[in-house]
Amino acid sequence: MTENVWTRWPSREALLPESVSRPRRLMSWAVRLTVFGMLLWGAFTSSRLHGWGSAAAAVGLVAAVWVAWAFFRTTLAHRLWPSLALVAVLLAIAVAARSVGFEVPALVVWCGCAVVALERLPLAFALPVTSVALVSYAVGSDDAWLTTVATAGGLALAGYVLRLDAEARGSAQRLLAQERAALAAEAESAALAERARIAREIHDVLAHSLSAQMVHLEAARLLIERDADRQQILDRVVAARGMARDGLAETRQALSALRGDLTPLEDFLAQLVETAESAAEVTITGERRVLPAEASQAVRRVAQEALTNARRHAPGAGVRVRLDYGAHEVTLDVRDSGGPPGEVTGSGGGYGLLGMRERAELLGGSLWAGPGEEGFVVTLKVPV
């Protein structure tokens, strides 16, 4: 059966002492010690018992304190019947104390049972317990009936207010725990995203490096088949070796870039054009500014891949690289002056320009690659 307001227990967070601030816990313990002191004082000043009677009274008070502690533990564990049995024992101890002349301790125990029952038990069981405790208090009290009624009403209200306050603290504790869990999940998600980002960078660097190496190794193979000069073959092998070395250096550079150690994008494109085997030029337009790390890396990788494709498919053709800083996006346009028609997407399987297109889409941008009026065109647009 679904729990409702009458059968629902106060939450464990509401009943835990940790849900109360340190000053309030200290105040609570001060009140408890004061009440216990009043019980002891009342027990030995309001009665005529001496000797063994006083010792029995002290044992009874200690037993009442132990039963109250056990009641707090069982209600924290949401054990209904043991809790009801323990509160019944407390009420019986109060009746026994009242019958032998311990009026003040009995009244305090009845009042305490009325308050804690409303605070810690389901309402369907707390109301009968509170009613029995308050009726016992009214019968045993020597005050005027109006004072007794007002005191009983105040005790009932105090118990219910304490219940509401505990529930509010419990809700705050649950919200705090949920917020901490959300922050932990967010941190874990950020770590996974950073790992994916690093893996993507290394993937793109190695894909570009291996693609360039394949160009030189394929040229070396053709030269061997044609019985070309040994020096020409050696030059191609040395160039492939240099590409492998540059790939490792670019991998380290990519990792450094992810830590924020980025060289200016304009300088990078200028160096890239200078090292190109074909005639290439770079043009920068718009207001220059620092781009986010991922956007800057995307521009760098697309420029590298486009120049590699131009070298592979249009050897000797001129290449024009234009970087435009727009108001809301940056555009990279790479065009060569010749080469066979048809779209080039790299080596397949997610490498080359296909991998660059996926990178651009992850950033909310786009990449187009295909034949232009003269040669091959690669255009990247990334929002910034």
Side-chain angles (χ1 to χ4, degrees), residues 14 16-32 119 158 161-170 172-173:
L16 283 172
E18 289 77 7
S19 64
V20 184
S21 62
R22 182 180 296 273
R24 294 185 62 177
R25 285 203 300 270
L26 293 176
M27 185 181 299
S28 175
W29 276 107
V31 172
R32 292 172 186 174
E119 181 186 5
V161 169
L162 288 175
R163 181 190 188 92
L164 296 179
D165 179 65
E167 284 289 4
R169 293 197 310 271
Q173 289 291 322

Side-chain angles (χ1 to χ4, degrees), residues 173-240:
Q173 289 291 322
R174 288 193 298 272
L175 290 175
L176 181 60
Q178 293 173 3
E179 182 180 0
R180 288 174 177 171
L183 290 176
E186 183 179 355
E188 183 178 359
S189 176
L192 292 176
E194 185 68 12
R195 292 175 186 174
R197 181 183 173 190
I198 293 174
R200 188 166 58 248
E201 290 296 336
I202 296 176
H203 165 274
D204 292 339
V205 168
L206 294 179
H208 166 75
S209 175
L210 292 174
S211 177
Q213 292 176 55
M214 285 297 299
V215 172
H216 292 287
L217 292 175
E218 180 65 16
R221 184 186 67 81
L222 294 175
L223 289 173
I224 292 173
E225 290 179 352
R226 298 172 185 172
D227 293 329
D229 181 69
R230 181 177 180 275
Q231 186 60 41
Q232 292 181 343
I233 299 174
L234 181 60
D235 290 343
R236 289 296 181 177
V237 174
V238 170

Side-chain angles (χ1 to χ4, degrees), residues 1 38 51 93 103 113 118 144 156 166 179 181 215 220 251 272 295 302 313 321 339:
M1 181 178 65
M38 291 174 58
I93 290 175
E103 297 180 359
C113 289
L118 274 178
E179 182 180 0
V215 172
T251 301
L272 189 64
V302 170
H313 299 284
V321 180

Side-chain angles (χ1 to χ4, degrees), residues 321-347:
V321 180
R322 184 175 66 88
L323 179 65
D324 176 60
Y325 288 96
H328 303 290
E329 66 179 9
V330 61
T331 302
L332 175 71
D333 188 79
V334 182
R335 299 171 181 266
D336 63 58
S337 60
E343 182 177 358
V344 179
T345 58
S347 304

Side-chain angles (χ1 to χ4, degrees), residues 261-276:
D261 301 331
L262 283 170
T263 58
L265 182 57
E266 298 81 6
D267 296 343
F268 175 83
L269 293 178
Q271 294 173 4
L272 189 64
V273 167
E274 288 177 1
T275 58

Side-chain angles (χ1 to χ4, degrees), residues 42-54 57 97 99-103:
F44 295 106
T45 58
S46 63
S47 64
R48 299 182 179 83
L49 296 177
H50 301 285
W52 288 106
S54 298
S99 64
V100 296
F102 294 119
E103 297 180 359

